[in-house]
Amino acid sequence: MFKVLSGSIADRAIKNGAVKSEDRELTVYGINTFLTIGVNIISALLIGLIFNMLIEIVLFLVVYKLLRKYIGGIHANTALSCYLSSCLTYIAVLTCIRFYDLPGAVTTILVLCSSVILWILAPIEAKKKPLDELEYKVFRRRSHIMIIICFCVFAAFHYIPVLNAYSAAAAISIYTVSIFAVFGKISIFRYHKRQHNSL
């Protein structure tokens, strides 16, 4: 998303002697990743401020990012489409949180079901980056740890009265990741099927 800008910054760093020329590609990748993540987080916070729901978007981001990092799921094809879909997701999530009115018991059941789905499906490899056997085992173990942690975070917000106002944000973040996980699993299944049929 910021490859041109990242390249310019890296070239200037090389010219100033801060970076070795042979490390250019790694530097460009690091800068591009930093800028992409930074813009994404800033955009999320701005959307949260516009909705007057800053705490909710922060809580959503924390739970969502913890889960997505190790579980994976469906991904956009380009950095720009990823950014735009992320912004739309933030808007949709905050809208859902604002009008969320399910009974507590139903919410708990839905979060538990979503967590079970994640437990079964995780990790979901990306099309461009398949997991080897060791990576699969490591990511599966870590994803299970994150699922437990995030469920405990939800439970804390849901059952501690002073935090209850924000439990919907934790619940919806788990719902969202489970939806992306299901679509990601379907997408990778279809991808492997096409690859097999083309042989």
Side-chain angles (χ1 to χ4, degrees), residues 135-153:
E135 288 174 327
Y136 180 86
K137 289 180 179 179
V138 170
F139 274 79
R140 186 166 178 80
R141 183 170 62 251
R142 290 179 180 176
S143 66
H144 286 172
I145 292 170
M146 290 304 157
I147 291 167
I148 293 170
I149 290 172
C150 290
F151 185 85
C152 290
V153 168

Side-chain angles (χ1 to χ4, degrees), residues 30-88:
I31 295 171
N32 183 59
T33 301
F34 176 78
L35 291 174
T36 301
I37 293 173
V39 167
N40 191 294
I41 292 174
I42 290 170
S43 298
L45 295 177
L46 285 174
I47 292 170
L49 285 171
I50 291 170
F51 275 74
N52 195 28
M53 298 172 73
L54 187 59
I55 295 175
E56 288 87 346
I57 196 64
V58 169
L59 179 57
F60 171 81
L61 282 175
V62 169
V63 176
Y64 177 82
K65 296 294 184 183
L66 281 174
L67 291 172
R68 280 278 279 181
K69 181 176 181 180
Y70 295 108
I71 292 171
I74 195 164
H75 292 279
N77 293 323
T78 66
L80 179 59
S81 59
C82 177
Y83 171 73
L84 293 175
S85 62
S86 294
C87 289
L88 289 174

Side-chain angles (χ1 to χ4, degrees), residues 78-132:
T78 66
L80 179 59
S81 59
C82 177
Y83 171 73
L84 293 175
S85 62
S86 294
C87 289
L88 289 174
T89 298
Y90 301 144
I91 292 170
V93 161
L94 291 179
T95 302
C96 288
I97 292 171
R98 174 159 288 171
F99 296 104
Y100 193 87
D101 194 29
L102 290 178
V106 174
T107 298
T108 301
I109 292 170
L110 288 175
V111 170
L112 185 59
C113 290
S114 297
S115 299
V116 170
I117 290 170
L118 293 174
W119 190 281
I120 293 169
L121 296 182
I124 302 160
E125 62 183 4
K127 295 176 184 177
K128 297 179 182 178
K129 191 181 178 184
L131 300 173
D132 60 33

